[in-house]
Amino acid sequence: MTAIHATALVDPSAQLDDSVSVGPYTVIGPHVKIGAGTTVGPHCVIEGHTTIGRDNRIFQFNSLGAVPQDKKYAGEPTELVIGDRNIVREFCTFNLGTVQDAGATRIGDDNWIMAYVHIAHDCQLGNQITMANNTTLAGHVQVGDWATIGGLTGVLQRMRIGAHTMVGFASHVNKDVPPFMVVDGHPLEVRAVNLVGLKRRDFSDASLKAIREMHKLIYRQGKTLDEARTAIQALAAQMPEAAADIALMDDFLGSSVSGIAR
């Protein structure tokens, strides 16, 4: 049966798999759903329309599913959706979405989220992301798969952090961060290609060559962003083995609204 500590307060309408464990003094609201194998530590509050998947480990003192820190929020039944196998360390705050966006804050699978991380309303996170202590995401932020964000980093609302990126310690992210790049600082600057991370994930030599070439086209040849995109699009025919990586970069650049880190 579900292992719920005697001091925990779990609403009878909450839907918890039989294998879920809940620690002392935790409070779980009526619209919460928690999947098999997930553990919730002591002194947590999980509320709102919050769905949590399988095999997550939620440490003590977390607040998940609270209403957005947005003055426009008027009590609409928006959501927080968390996937599978995430680690959520102490004192994190994940808020519900708003009707001004998709109506849901979403966190994917296999993410490592360290202490004091704030994920605001309508953020969309992929998979295999690492967020170090005190990372703060404002509303509507998007973070791609395998991104790593250093501690004490603040991300402005509506910014996008691309897949396979590395954001350095105590950075101020006020522009979109293109895939595969290393950025840091205040003001934010692109420093290099994230070669260490890419090699750890077994990117092929062909992909690494194409990514390095895209970095040169965007950052080393004095091109405008439109000129760089045209040159990147031409790479797909020249380097078909890296077509997926080239398409990822081209799509990201083409959909940027706030501009990219340069």
Side-chain angles (χ1 to χ4, degrees), residues 30-128:
H31 304 297
V32 174
K33 301 176 183 178
I34 304 179
T38 290
T39 63
V40 181
H43 297 280
C44 293
V45 176
I46 305 178
E47 55 188 312
H49 288 80
T50 294
T51 300
I52 300 172
R54 301 174 59 93
D55 299 317
N56 296 281
R57 188 174 181 191
I58 299 167
F59 282 70
Q60 55 269 26
F61 303 111
N62 283 289
S63 172
L64 309 180
V67 300
Q69 297 179 104
D70 186 328
K71 290 182 178 180
K72 298 184 295 299
Y73 181 73
E76 300 90 349
T78 52
E79 296 181 275
L80 168 66
V81 181
I82 299 173
D84 302 332
R85 299 177 303 279
N86 296 287
I87 301 294
V88 182
R89 294 304 304 248
E90 300 83 355
F91 298 102
C92 292
T93 53
F94 304 167
N95 292 165
L96 301 174
T98 68
V99 294
Q100 284 74 37
D101 201 325
T105 303
R106 297 186 184 276
I107 298 166
D109 303 331
D110 301 295
N111 298 298
W112 183 269
I113 301 173
M114 299 185 198
Y116 292 95
V117 167
H118 175 64
I119 300 176
H121 60 86
D122 302 296
C123 288
Q124 308 292 314
L125 276 66
N127 309 314
Q128 299 284 355

Side-chain angles (χ1 to χ4, degrees), residues 199-237:
K199 288 178 179 178
R200 285 176 178 170
R201 292 188 279 281
D202 296 321
F203 271 62
S204 68
D205 290 342
S207 287
L208 294 175
K209 182 178 179 180
I211 291 166
R212 282 171 155 167
E213 185 62 27
M214 289 189 288
H215 174 263
K216 291 178 184 177
L217 292 170
I218 300 169
Y219 296 105
R220 295 290 182 261
Q221 297 184 358
K223 297 180 183 296
T224 66
L225 187 57
D226 287 341
E227 291 170 342
R229 274 197 73 204
T230 299
I232 287 169
Q233 290 163 359
L235 284 180

Side-chain angles (χ1 to χ4, degrees), residues 8-21:
L9 298 177
V10 179
D11 191 282
S13 297
Q15 299 178 37
L16 277 60
D17 184 87
D18 288 345
S19 59
V20 170
S21 66

